[in-house]
Amino acid sequence: MLQFKSRFPREVLLCRVGDFYEAIGIDACILVEYAGLNPFGGLRSDSAPKAGCPVVNLRQTLDDLTRNGYSVCIVEEVQGPTPARSRKDRFISGHAHPGSPYVYGLVGVDHDLEFPEPMPVVGISRSARGYCMISIFETMKAYSLDDGLTEEALVTKLRTRRCHHLFLHASLRHNASGTCRWGEFGEGGLLWGECSGRNFEWFEGDTLSELLSKVKDVYGLDDEVSFRNVNVPSENRPRPLHLGTATQIGALPTEGIPCLLKVLLPSTCSGLPSLYVRDLLLNPPAYDIALKIQETCKLMSTITCSVPEFTCVSSAKLVKLLEQREANYIEFCRIKNVLDEVLHMHRHPELVEILKLLMEPTWVATGLKIDFETFVSECHWASDSIGEMISLDEDESHQNVSKCENIPNEFFYDMESSWRGRVKGIHIEKELTQVAKSAEALSLAVTEDFHPITSRIKAMAASLGGSKGEITYAKEHESVWFKGKRFTPSVWGGTAGEEQIKQLKPAFDSKGKKVGEEWFTTQKVEAALVRYHEATENANARVLELLRELSAKLQTKINVLVFASMLLVIAKALFSHACEARRRKWVFPTLVGFSTDEAANPLDGGATRMKLTGLSPYWFDVASGTAVHNTVDMQSLFLLTGPNGGGKSSLLRSICAAALLGICGFMVPAESAYIPHFDSIMLHMKSYDSPVDGKSSFQVEMSEIRSIVSQATSRSLVLIDEICRGTETAKGTCIAGSVIESLDASGCLGIVSTHLHGIFDLPLTARNVTYKAMGAENVEGQTKPTWKLTDGVCRESLAFETAKREGVPETIIQRAEALYLSVYAKEASSRVVRPNITESSSASSHEISKPVRSERSSEKDLTKAILQICGKKMVEPVGLECLSIGARELPPPSTVGSSCVYVMKRPDKRLYIGQTDDLEGRIRAHRAKEGLQGSSFLYLVVQGKSIACQLETLLINQLHEQGYSLANLADGKHRNFGTSSSLAASDVVSIS
């Protein structure tokens, strides 16, 4: 064990000893502490600590250790006979790291292994350009480098990514104050607060080379191992989001803040697609990539064909399983699904354009640049390679386990199910033949040696307490033996079957120990069992060998597989977003890049104007009609005032979210939108104190304001809510005024909201600031907010009304009003400026165009019958089309919100007919039921739920009359419509 521990001193060592994995010393203490295991030999203080876990509990133990940040080295025994008094050979079978599970032996089992999100080794340094963060992924043999980061953006990245090891460069010690105290680096203290709660190590020298060296040391890699850079160079990519911005719009889950991710995607879309969207929001793409994403979503929202299911496979999982030759049958089927779905998109005229558009976003996500034709060609090769080896035909006769009349079927199933049906029979013909012959020989031996005895027992019809016996499968010993209860062979001497009885002998297990008094076998049966086990072991070994050869073959195309898997992850994310945004009635914005022509009209593009018409808060469902819409036409900096509860914070969040979605290529919650591709979007809301850093809430706010002001450019969007709320009013007002002047001078777009009305009396030099207010109206003598953006200034805070509404005692409010009148009444009455509470906005209506449909040619007879039945009921039957959805496909986004009649073709050949306004959800619900996973569908889009209900009943009754087998025939009795083949003219309905 010491030789293995010396190679990986950072890792917990688990060594296989018989039926246990054991650890000694500090490793045993870690097992007891974090895996809940008991120490071996009690708690003796005069011996080295020892602990371990049973073989069957290895996965759980590894999960417990890696969850707590430990890496584990696993040492296995070499299986097979060992000479007496000789030490068993052992070898390192693999490692388990946080984010990278142990995969040894997975090729031989039939279950999937859940792969967590990869956890990189992270290194942080600092230079004149800002902070630098290097993330190195050992599994992928790749690294990404983010340079020029602000402290806030760096902390955001650390918050969203768990790391295996954290290394801090010595450059962080030298901060702006010139000191070298670790606790002082990071101007705002955010980085110190984030890192102080983690385990980290210092390093010096060249940042990248030294960090790569440390990674090789951590994982025990050879010096020759190389890592590729996955960064895609881009000059106009926006800066990553600040921590405050990400949390205040819910891009990072934050208590009390509406989560942006939950409204971008439907609840059925999670996992890898959700992580991709989150990372895209936190790190907005370059302008050309954003346009590709937007164009892709537009195409997705208009296609009429069915779409693939988009099989999502972790790239890290692919790389590790193929690299270690541990990909099993399940994983190869999943890889083939990925490849076949890519090829399906390439063959389909509507989907191929989407496939081409997805190439560039996938390039940015993986760092792999692959030519389109080469990519398709390599996918063909990989898919064919898997198809030639892996058994995908359930009707192949060689996939059936052996069956013999006198041997329990469970025995053959347990012995053969682990390898049958994995590879095509042509590759294991010799092994299959040997298994079949040995199974026949075993059956013959059992028949000749055991059958006469069992027949004699049954013929004698033993009375109560008499002898009983049967041929039984001893599962624990993987054998077929004769089991006799109250049975002694000598008693049966001289009777029929005497010769067979004489051959019986007690059964022994693999260690030579007698199994029990009731178990018997014969020399012939034992020899047949040995031969059969040798044949099945040879077959199993050959299958595993072929699977490992296929892994090695596919590893030569690992870049293509990684690219294809990420492409489908992105495709699923964008398809899901297109469906959800369409349901929410969001729109595609006009995304404008920055003009390099100095003579260009500033109103025609660039960051000089952003217009959001009919903007609604992203957390409201516009389709429900509860949202308040605002029109924001921004050509300069807004100074926003308004009452408490008037919607200032909600407006800032809504604008921030819409702008961020726009520059990422997504749809936005508005009626129309014109959004420049900002170089940064910064939102500052309320601040809290930070006792760990010794900072008050005002200090924290000033730290964030410092970062915003220093980075704001003419291409930025800056949104600051209630500036300088945490300090003395007069000086806070002056600081706010100075910040406004600085932002105005930078030329950025944005909004600064405030209750510091003294700011209007300051001699500000700002030239382009526009005064805006949140509207209020007088209702029955009370001032109430309208939540509408208007021109002007609002000095009314509604503070007393808000306090009263929140339950502050009436006596306190009355005293506050008296104090206000005594000090501020005269001043206030001379300075009130009422905002115009009426607003006229020309919100452009958004019309959804009807998609053009094309008829599919599959299932012609059923399609023709459906069209004939429904066509007789239609006023305009010419526009009626019946579209198909394959067994592993989903409906297009164009069906979202539409009433549909559908026919489900079940695997048992029966039809199920239904109607719905949520076709995708209904299809998922059907396929989630046992036995319906492979169902395909035909559907028609009709005008309204009422017509859909009528056509549902019509199809149920008349398809049954035409001889089709229906699973829900009883549903046809719910209505009288369509029960007769003679159709009345009054029954005719219309479709869209």
Side-chain angles (χ1 to χ4, degrees):
M1 292 180 70
L2 293 178
Q3 62 173 322
F4 297 123
K5 186 66 177 178
S6 63
R7 289 181 57 189
F8 299 98
R10 292 173 176 265
E11 301 182 14
V12 176
L13 185 69
L14 285 181
C15 184
R16 175 78 176 266
V17 181
D19 294 331
F20 282 83
Y21 288 93
E22 297 184 2
I24 62 173
I26 186 62
D27 293 344
C29 297
I30 293 173
L31 254 65
V32 173
E33 177 70 20
Y34 294 101
L37 301 176
N38 295 322
F40 288 165
L43 300 175
R44 293 177 54 187
S45 59
D46 59 343
S47 61
K50 297 182 69 175
C53 72
V55 171
V56 294
N57 293 342
L58 177 63
R59 293 284 177 193
Q60 181 61 51
T61 301
L62 294 178
D63 289 344
D64 291 338
L65 293 175
T66 54
R67 191 184 304 114
N68 285 282
Y70 290 98
S71 293
V72 188
C73 174
I74 299 94
V75 177
E76 287 282 351
E77 292 178 337
V78 175
Q79 300 298 315
T82 304
R85 296 185 179 181
S86 63
R87 180 178 298 175
K88 284 193 174 183
D89 291 332
R90 290 181 170 85
F91 62 97
I92 295 177
S93 57
H95 303 264
H97 303 289
S100 180
Y102 179 61
V103 299
Y104 177 77
L106 191 65
V107 65
V109 297
D110 256 357
H111 68 260
D112 192 16
L113 180 64
E114 183 178 352
F115 246 70
E117 185 180 2
M119 293 173 60
V121 172
V122 172
I124 300 173
S125 63
R126 189 180 178 192
S127 65
R129 294 185 60 189
Y131 292 98
C132 175
M133 177 176 173
I134 302 176
S135 301
I136 302 179
F137 297 87
E138 179 270 337
T139 302
M140 303 293 294
K141 302 299 184 292
Y143 70 89
S144 62
L145 190 151
D146 297 298
D147 201 4
L149 296 174
T150 64
E151 182 186 16
E152 289 79 3
L154 175 59
V155 171
T156 303
K157 288 181 175 291
L158 287 174
R159 289 273 179 93
T160 58
R161 178 179 293 168
R162 293 180 60 199
C163 59
H164 183 196
H165 284 279
L166 178 62
F167 291 94
L168 304 176
H169 194 261
S171 58
L172 293 171
R173 298 178 187 266
H174 306 285
N175 61 22
S177 63
T179 64
C180 296
R181 289 178 54 197
W182 155 239
E184 292 182 0
F185 85 79
E187 295 87 338
L190 282 174
L191 188 53
W192 154 243
E194 188 67 25
C195 294
S196 61
R198 301 169 180 248
N199 294 321
F200 60 85
E201 298 179 32
W202 290 101
F203 74 108
E204 297 181 349
D206 179 74
T207 306
L208 180 57
S209 60
E210 286 297 324
L211 193 59
L212 288 173
S213 176
K214 290 206 172 282
V215 168
K216 293 177 182 179
D217 178 57
V218 167
Y219 293 100
L221 302 177
D222 296 332
D223 292 337
E224 293 76 20
V225 176
S226 61
F227 290 77
R228 66 180 181 88
N229 184 0
V230 298
N231 288 96
V232 175
S234 178
E235 297 180 356
N236 63 345
R237 183 164 188 168
R239 288 192 287 271
L241 291 193
H242 285 186
L243 180 63
T245 306
T247 55
Q248 288 299 327
I249 61 172
L252 291 180
T254 308
E255 186 177 359
I257 305 297
C259 182
L260 184 57
L261 278 176
K262 288 186 177 180
V263 299
L264 271 182
L265 302 172
S267 58
T268 55
C269 182
S270 59
L272 295 174
S274 179
L275 290 176
Y276 171 77
V277 172
R278 184 201 67 179
D279 290 343
L280 198 66
L281 293 175
L282 297 177
N283 305 277
Y287 176 64
D288 54 342
I289 300 300
L291 286 181
K292 293 288 185 184
I293 291 175
Q294 185 185 90
E295 189 176 352
T296 303
C297 290
K298 284 182 178 179
L299 277 179
M300 289 175 171
S301 64
T302 58
I303 63 170
T304 59
C305 65
S306 58
V307 298
E309 286 187 340
F310 299 118
T311 303
C312 294
V313 180
S314 165
S315 298
K317 182 178 183 180
L318 271 179
V319 171
K320 185 163 187 175
L321 291 179
L322 294 180
E323 180 184 86
Q324 299 194 12
R325 312 291 191 266
E326 293 292 343
N328 59 17
Y329 171 78
I330 293 176
E331 202 59 37
F332 282 123
C333 289
R334 188 175 286 120
I335 295 172
K336 183 166 174 56
N337 287 342
V338 169
L339 299 168
D340 289 347
E341 287 170 6
V342 170
L343 297 175
H344 170 73
M345 295 179 70
H346 179 255
R347 290 190 296 268
H348 200 286
E350 282 191 276
L351 298 178
V352 66
E353 294 303 319
I354 294 175
L355 181 63
K356 291 178 180 178
L357 289 172
L358 288 170
M359 294 294 289
E360 288 198 38
T362 308
W363 165 46
V364 173
T366 61
L368 297 169
K369 186 71 172 178
I370 302 179
D371 174 71
F372 180 73
E373 295 301 330
T374 301
F375 173 61
V376 174
S377 174
E378 298 287 14
C379 285
H380 269 293
W381 178 87
S383 177
D384 291 343
S385 297
I386 297 175
E388 291 169 1
M389 178 63 66
I390 297 299
S391 175
L392 302 173
D393 187 356
E394 297 179 355
D395 295 330
E396 288 190 65
S397 60
H398 75 271
Q399 308 299 2
N400 300 324
V401 297
S402 304
K403 285 187 178 181
C404 297
E405 183 178 352
N406 294 321
I407 298 178
N409 291 333
E410 186 182 2
F411 168 74
F412 287 121
Y413 180 83
D414 287 352
M415 297 302 103
E416 300 178 16
S417 61
S418 62
W419 55 267
R420 280 195 184 269
R422 305 303 177 265
V423 301
K424 290 186 178 296
I426 191 174
H427 301 294
I428 54 172
E429 287 182 343
K430 178 181 176 182
E431 289 75 12
L432 289 174
T433 302
Q434 291 299 321
V435 170
K437 289 181 177 180
S438 62
E440 291 176 4
L442 176 60
S443 175
L444 180 62
V446 169
T447 301
E448 292 178 350
D449 287 3
F450 292 161
H451 187 64
I453 303 174
T454 57
S455 299
R456 178 61 180 172
I457 292 174
K458 292 177 182 178
M460 292 184 65
S463 60
L464 183 64
S467 300
K468 295 180 180 179
E470 59 182 349
I471 301 170
T472 306
Y473 169 35
K475 192 179 185 73
E476 182 179 353
H477 305 284
E478 299 181 347
S479 298
V480 177
W481 291 329
F482 177 77
K483 185 177 183 180
K485 296 180 181 180
R486 294 178 296 277
F487 171 74
T488 304
S490 59
V491 175
W492 292 81
T495 62
E498 176 181 1
E499 190 65 31
Q500 289 78 12
I501 294 171
K502 290 180 180 179
Q503 296 175 6
L504 289 179
K505 63 178 183 178
F508 291 85
D509 62 17
S510 59
K511 297 180 181 179
K513 184 178 178 180
K514 188 176 179 180
V515 175
E517 298 298 330
E518 299 178 344
W519 293 95
F520 300 92
T521 185
T522 67
Q523 186 173 352
K524 185 190 297 184
V525 170
E526 286 301 295
L529 277 171
V530 169
R531 179 185 173 188
Y532 174 74
H533 282 308
E534 287 178 352
T536 56
E537 288 170 3
N538 290 337
N540 184 61
R542 179 56 178 161
V543 169
L544 297 184
E545 180 184 358
L546 291 171
L547 292 178
R548 289 193 168 103
E549 288 177 358
L550 182 58
S551 289
K553 187 176 182 181
L554 291 180
Q555 196 190 12
T556 61
K557 306 295 182 183
I558 190 63
N559 286 349
V560 173
L561 298 180
V562 168
F563 193 91
S565 65
M566 179 53 70
L567 185 144
L568 289 193
V569 167
I570 298 174
K572 184 168 185 175
L574 299 187
F575 260 109
S576 300
H577 168 65
C579 289
E580 182 65 13
R582 183 184 175 97
R583 187 189 70 79
R584 290 177 174 271
K585 302 188 184 302
W586 290 9
V587 299
F588 289 102
T590 299
L591 186 59
V592 185
F594 295 101
S595 175
T596 57
D597 185 1
E598 296 182 357
N601 186 343
L603 296 182
D604 292 338
T608 55
R609 183 178 190 181
M610 177 174 68
K611 185 173 183 179
L612 305 170
T613 303
L615 174 69
S616 63
Y618 64 87
W619 56 93
F620 279 97
D621 194 340
V622 177
S624 65
T626 59
V628 175
H629 298 263
N630 271 296
T631 294
V632 180
D633 191 355
M634 188 183 297
Q635 301 183 44
S636 64
L637 190 68
F638 286 178
L639 182 56
L640 179 64
T641 52
N644 289 302
K648 298 187 299 298
S649 300
S650 294
L651 180 66
L652 265 62
R653 277 197 182 94
S654 302
I655 293 173
C656 180
L660 178 61
L661 294 174
I663 69 171
C664 290
F666 295 131
M667 300 172 74
V668 301
E671 295 171 1
S672 66
Y674 180 96
I675 300 174
H677 193 259
F678 296 107
D679 66 355
S680 62
I681 296 175
M682 295 174 279
L683 170 66
H684 168 74
M685 308 292 283
K686 58 186 177 182
S687 300
Y688 296 97
D689 63 343
S690 180
V692 173
D693 304 323
K695 291 189 175 184
S696 67
S697 60
F698 183 68
Q699 286 178 291
V700 173
E701 180 184 9
M702 288 299 99
S703 174
E704 295 185 14
I705 293 296
R706 180 260 311 155
S707 178
I708 290 174
V709 170
S710 63
Q711 295 179 68
T713 70
S714 60
R715 300 162 59 173
S716 303
L717 176 65
V718 176
L719 304 162
I720 302 176
D721 188 32
E722 296 192 21
I723 188 172
C724 295
R725 73 171 81 189
T727 190
E728 180 260 320
T729 303
K731 293 180 180 177
T733 300
C734 294
I735 293 175
S738 182
V739 169
I740 291 170
E741 287 184 338
S742 176
L743 294 175
D744 178 69
S746 72
C748 69
L749 298 184
I751 298 177
V752 178
S753 72
T754 184
H755 283 297
L756 301 175
H757 300 146
I759 203 169
F760 299 107
D761 300 325
L762 297 177
L764 301 181
T765 59
R767 302 289 184 184
N768 301 309
V769 174
T770 302
Y771 293 161
K772 293 286 184 177
M774 298 307 296
E777 59 184 359
N778 193 288
V779 180
E780 298 179 356
Q782 293 185 345
T783 304
K784 293 185 177 181
T786 63
W787 301 288
K788 285 284 190 178
L789 183 67
T790 64
D791 295 328
V793 177
C794 178
R795 298 180 185 270
E796 175 55 69
S797 67
L798 297 183
F800 297 146
E801 291 81 356
T802 302
K804 185 183 300 183
R805 189 165 56 249
E806 295 302 319
V808 176
E810 185 68 28
T811 55
I812 293 179
I813 295 176
Q814 290 176 355
R815 177 56 179 163
E817 291 174 338
L819 292 172
Y820 179 79
L821 291 173
S822 66
V823 177
Y824 300 106
K826 183 176 180 181
E827 179 183 2
S829 63
S830 63
R831 294 163 60 183
V832 171
V833 179
R834 296 290 184 186
N836 181 11
I837 63 175
T838 61
E839 177 186 18
S840 60
S841 61
S842 56
S844 60
S845 60
H846 177 66
E847 298 181 358
I848 302 177
S849 58
K850 297 180 182 178
V852 179
R853 306 190 179 277
S854 61
E855 182 175 342
R856 300 282 294 271
S857 60
S858 63
E859 304 292 340
K860 290 184 179 179
D861 292 340
L862 179 58
T863 301
K864 183 177 180 181
I866 293 171
L867 290 174
Q868 286 179 344
I869 293 170
C870 296
K872 294 178 181 179
K873 282 289 179 180
M874 300 299 125
V875 174
E876 301 175 2
V878 177
L880 186 64
E881 289 185 90
C882 184
L883 303 175
S884 173
I885 300 172
R888 297 189 62 254
E889 297 177 343
L890 293 172
S894 57
T895 61
V896 175
S898 300
S899 296
C900 299
V901 183
Y902 66 90
V903 177
M904 177 173 67
K905 297 176 286 184
R906 296 160 46 115
D908 61 5
K909 309 303 181 184
R910 293 195 297 167
L911 304 180
Y912 179 96
I913 301 169
Q915 59 82 27
T916 181
D917 287 342
D918 180 12
L919 185 58
E920 180 182 347
R922 185 63 62 87
I923 288 175
R924 290 185 184 276
H926 280 305
R927 288 176 177 169
K929 296 179 181 178
E930 184 68 28
L932 300 182
Q933 292 84 352
S935 300
S936 58
F937 294 79
L938 297 171
Y939 73 94
L940 303 89
V941 178
V942 298
Q943 185 75 34
K945 190 175 185 68
S946 175
I947 296 175
C949 292
Q950 295 180 42
L951 292 180
E952 175 194 17
T953 309
L954 179 70
L955 287 170
I956 290 174
N957 291 301
Q958 298 202 12
L959 282 178
H960 174 65
E961 289 181 2
Q962 294 187 20
Y964 288 95
S965 176
L966 303 186
N968 62 331
L969 182 61
D971 291 350
K973 300 178 181 178
H974 295 172
R975 306 177 189 90
N976 294 323
F977 182 83
T979 56
S980 173
S981 57
S982 60
L983 306 176
S986 59
D987 289 334
V988 176
V989 295
S990 63
I991 66 168
S992 57

